[in-house]
Amino acid sequence: MKKVLIINSSARITNSQSRAMTALFQENWQRLYPTDHFIFRDLGIDPIPHIDDAWIKASFTKVSDRNAENQAPLALSNKLVRELKEVDIIVFGLPMYNWGVPSGVKAYMDQIMRINETWKFESGEPDGNYVGLLSGKKAYILSARGDNGYGCGERNEHMNFQSKYVETIFRIIGIGEIETISLDSEEYGGELFQKGKERITAMIKAIK
């Protein structure tokens, strides 16, 4: 039995394309693997707080100086990190907002990017070589965008601060197997968008 973490991040509760994609993934995965266990986190409905001065001080307190009081600001961060460590599959519903990610996604990433917890420097000292500590997992990034052309080699690739950002963070923390599926052209609507939805639906249903 595997554990699957589904993360939604859209501010929209209804009419969210990324939420529809994660729901389709869940439906398809449950059909294939009915005994697998799902965990849900919703960054849109239940936002993650941004890190603050207390968090930073707690995070960079030497291990020998840590106690319950000075580590209290990391309680939620510890929970999020444990959650990631315990699962096998991560499914990230990710809309594009202003060419980037929703602010809640940035807050989440700041909470889980913990040195010596999810990543470390190869030598143990700042050396520019990052080693991820969450290996053996697979991530699916289910991306929704109003426009198109953000893929590799396409005209708007240089403006993609959405899926590339999450892919980069995941690779740094050791998740090397990442599949990104993007539903584009929502703003265009019509036949172009409908064909895109049909293609994406088929791709998600083909995941095994």
Side-chain angles (χ1 to χ4, degrees):
M1 182 186 76
K2 291 184 177 180
K3 291 184 178 180
V4 183
L5 172 62
I6 293 185
I7 303 174
N8 280 300
S9 60
S10 176
R12 293 196 293 183
I13 308 304
T14 58
N15 301 319
S16 165
Q17 301 300 332
S18 63
R19 289 183 185 277
M21 293 168 75
T22 58
L24 178 61
F25 181 99
Q26 181 187 354
E27 178 185 342
N28 181 66
W29 195 270
Q30 283 183 317
R31 178 178 55 82
L32 294 172
Y33 310 105
T35 62
D36 280 5
H37 177 66
F38 284 86
I39 300 170
F40 301 92
R41 183 156 294 281
D42 200 311
L43 309 180
I45 295 176
D46 188 17
I48 299 295
H50 293 276
I51 62 173
D52 56 15
D53 182 63
W55 190 100
I56 294 171
K57 288 177 179 176
S59 181
F60 287 95
T61 298
K62 293 181 179 180
V63 175
S64 58
D65 295 333
R66 292 179 179 177
N67 56 48
E69 183 178 357
N70 66 33
Q71 292 300 287
L74 298 177
L76 175 59
S77 176
N78 290 336
K79 179 180 179 180
L80 297 176
V81 169
R82 283 196 304 270
E83 191 172 74
L84 280 176
K85 289 180 176 180
E86 291 173 359
V87 301
D88 306 287
I89 308 290
I90 302 161
V91 183
F92 213 119
L94 185 69
M96 175 180 274
Y97 288 176
N98 302 313
W99 299 280
V101 298
S103 62
V105 174
K106 179 61 167 67
Y108 175 80
M109 294 304 182
D110 286 343
Q111 293 278 359
I112 66 166
M113 286 297 291
R114 296 275 302 281
I115 190 168
N116 297 323
E117 287 285 345
T118 56
W119 69 278
K120 67 178 182 179
F121 289 113
E122 187 174 34
S123 67
E125 298 291 338
D127 57 16
N129 296 315
Y130 308 120
V131 177
L133 302 178
L134 300 185
S135 60
K137 304 177 189 298
K138 181 165 186 178
Y140 295 92
I141 300 173
L142 305 183
S143 156
R145 302 161 177 159
D147 199 359
N148 57 54
Y150 297 102
C152 182
E154 296 182 335
R155 71 184 190 283
N156 288 328
E157 180 184 6
H158 66 289
M159 300 168 67
N160 178 7
F161 305 104
Q162 176 217 25
S163 58
K164 281 189 174 182
Y165 168 70
V166 176
E167 290 167 3
T168 299
I169 293 292
F170 278 177
R171 289 193 180 98
I172 289 174
I173 64 177
I175 302 171
E177 194 172 358
I178 303 170
E179 182 174 350
T180 300
I181 299 175
S182 296
L183 173 59
D184 295 339
S185 305
E186 182 180 4
E187 293 296 332
Y188 292 82
E191 185 178 358
L192 177 65
F193 182 56
Q194 187 58 40
K195 286 185 176 180
K197 287 183 71 173
E198 291 171 0
R199 179 177 62 85
I200 293 304
T201 295
M203 291 177 67
I204 293 175
K205 287 185 175 180
I207 293 173
K208 296 181 180 179

